[in-house]
Amino acid sequence: MTNVIPSTQGATAKLAEFVAVSAQLPLPLPVANKAAFCFLDALGLAILAKNEKTVLAVNSLMPSLVNPLPTGAHQTGLARLWTSGAWVSVSDAVTGNAVAVHAQFHDDTDYSSWTHPGSLIVSVALSLGESLDSPMASVLRAVAIGYDSIEWLGARDEVARGMISRGIRCSPALGTVAAAASASALLGLGADDVQNAIGIASSITGGVLEPVRCGSDEWRIQNAHAARGGLMAAQLAGAGMTGAAQGLEGPKGLLRSLAGLSVIPAAWKEAPRIDAILGVSAKPWATLGDNMSAVMAAALVREQRNTHAKISKIKVRIWRHFTEYPGTSYRGPFDHVTQALASMAFATAAMLVHGELEYSISLNHREDADILRLVPLVELEPDDHGTPYDATVTVTFDDGSVITKEASEAGLSRLFHDAPTALALFEDRLLRSGYAKGTGARVAARVLGAASGDVGFSARELLDDLHAPQPTQAPL
């Protein structure tokens, strides 16, 4: 029986109550569908990043077991790396899979918490779900609970921006707690144990913004470390370890120590919402989430007039908080891929030149003369009244003509997937990774079926399908 903690108690207990109760209830259909879209987005991105150097480096440190294991030889405590199908410990699987999801800065964004939940939550839910042979419906429920938790932790960006002002990166700092919530849901922990898991996670979390500012690589590891820490926190709580009962709001807890806030945010006085995941946006392009609306507006400019050689001036008006985030105002030289991924000027210029912004642009085109010509022409104008989804890009051409586009003109379909979009995107990413035509569509259809309740199968069966022997096919 679930041990429900009264909702009048503090923030740590409130989150624990939400996790324990929600884990026992079916998801509303829109929430289940959204969890499936987020799941497919993260899994597809991980597979697409299988050859990224940090992914390869991390996976090389993991002792893999017999690969593949003989049919029927599944064991509790093991899970697969999605990039290779290699069997490793569930902790190592969470680590390797989280690195892969986050490797190209292409994973989804929650603006309430300023985090990338896909790498933090889906890696835990699917890897732990595989090790436990959990039904896919339970995995999707754990995904939703993790996403809802991280949205609530951000407190409508009050906690998030408190952290950012102190140089703390929100994804790993809040992600450990949210990952613990997701793992706790799958493990079926009661509210007391969930509260212990949150307390433990709050005590071992953290991560600084310096890697994003300077362009080094370890930001990819930050989210993986948080995901693994959240898993461990839930496992230890399930084994009887106690955690700080006020890990979030205590006098020396996360709120005061990491966010520098002494007053409990209004959002933390409310219960988390099971439908908070609906507000999470996908990232159509591989760049910092802060750059997304600028790139979207730039894409509309290019669609109207594809003559980047004639551009003489570019003005980007965008939410002030994005212009002040470490790395966004960087203008080169772009010696490291992260410098290009973070730079708003580079991302805007690259879109105007190439009309797309997959990871390969930041990886291979950092010395592209056409992009580098435009970068100094980009003027960033902070907007004190906008939202994360607002940006205006005004491009002036040599002949004096001007094109102005608003990000809002593009609509929200690229940021908020529906079932056809999620299926098509997953199929495309698997095709580009060397999978046989139709594999992605088939696997995606099974996940979407699990969300709707039409299909019952386990996480292990889904990954068996994904990692079945493939016909020889070169990546696209």
Side-chain angles (χ1 to χ4, degrees), residues 27-362:
L27 293 175
L29 183 58
V31 174
N33 285 335
K34 178 71 173 189
F37 304 157
C38 294
F39 177 98
L40 290 169
D41 188 52
L43 181 58
L45 287 172
I47 294 168
L48 196 62
K50 64 181 181 179
N51 293 320
E52 195 279 324
K53 66 174 186 176
T54 313
V55 174
L56 295 174
V58 169
N59 290 352
S60 72
L61 302 178
M62 299 177 183
S64 61
L65 304 173
V66 178
N67 183 28
L69 290 182
T71 301
H74 302 293
Q75 301 177 46
T76 299
L78 304 181
R80 277 169 279 201
L81 296 173
W82 305 335
T83 55
S84 66
W87 286 90
V88 295
S89 71
V90 64
S91 178
D92 280 350
V94 166
T95 304
N97 293 332
V99 169
V101 176
H102 198 41
Q104 297 187 357
F105 243 151
H106 210 325
D107 42 332
D108 54 20
T109 299
D110 173 61
Y111 287 119
S112 171
S113 59
W114 288 64
T115 64
H116 302 287
S119 55
L120 298 158
I121 305 304
V122 177
S123 58
V124 171
L126 181 53
S127 297
L128 179 58
E130 180 182 22
S131 75
L132 298 172
D133 202 20
S134 301
M136 268 303 302
S138 298
V139 171
L140 294 178
R141 187 182 303 118
V143 168
I145 288 170
Y147 273 72
D148 296 333
S149 297
I150 208 163
E151 188 275 344
W152 180 85
L153 286 163
R156 295 190 281 270
D157 94 357
E158 183 178 351
V159 170
R161 284 170 53 193
M163 289 183 169
I164 293 166
S165 70
R166 294 162 68 88
I168 303 295
R169 188 167 179 237
C170 299
S171 279
L174 299 176
T176 312
V177 180
S182 185
S184 295
L186 264 182
L187 291 170
L189 301 186
D192 284 340
D193 286 336
V194 179
Q195 186 169 356
N196 284 325
I198 294 168
I200 296 168
S202 300
S203 301
I204 63 173
T205 198
V208 298
L209 279 164
E210 182 63 13
V212 181
R213 186 205 67 80
C214 75
S216 56
D217 289 330
E218 67 268 34
W219 54 269
R220 296 180 179 91
I221 310 302
Q222 288 178 331
N223 282 19
H225 185 68
R228 179 179 62 186
L231 170 69
M232 182 176 67
Q235 290 173 323
L236 290 173
M241 181 174 171
T242 59
Q246 294 182 311
L248 296 176
E249 74 278 17
K252 300 296 182 182
L254 180 147
L255 183 71
R256 288 167 172 79
S257 300
L258 296 186
L261 302 178
S262 58
V263 177
I264 302 295
W268 279 17
K269 296 177 182 179
E270 305 167 2
R273 298 178 295 109
I274 194 63
D275 63 352
I277 188 176
L278 299 179
V280 171
S281 59
K283 288 170 64 177
W285 299 288
T287 185
L288 202 66
D290 307 54
N291 301 334
M292 205 57 53
S293 55
V295 173
M296 188 169 292
L300 294 176
V301 173
R302 190 181 189 277
E303 288 175 9
Q304 181 169 332
R305 185 172 176 183
N306 179 17
T307 54
H308 63 81
K310 304 293 186 181
I311 292 174
S312 60
K313 183 179 179 181
I314 304 163
K315 177 183 279 189
V316 177
R317 180 173 173 81
I318 196 167
W319 199 34
R320 176 178 294 277
H321 301 302
F322 286 166
T323 66
E324 296 173 347
Y325 195 80
T328 57
S329 61
Y330 186 73
R331 295 174 178 272
F334 299 103
D335 297 322
H336 306 291
V337 65
T338 303
Q339 293 171 323
L341 287 168
S343 169
M344 192 175 296
F346 182 94
T348 303
M351 177 54 70
L352 291 169
V353 171
H354 292 281
E356 58 101 354
L357 198 55
E358 286 295 317
Y359 182 72
S360 58
I361 297 294
S362 294

Side-chain angles (χ1 to χ4, degrees), residues 399-422:
D399 61 5
S401 61
V402 176
I403 297 177
T404 298
K405 292 293 182 182
E406 303 277 350
S408 59
E409 296 175 49
L412 297 176
S413 61
R414 301 192 71 169
L415 300 178
F416 296 93
H417 295 165
D418 55 16
T421 301

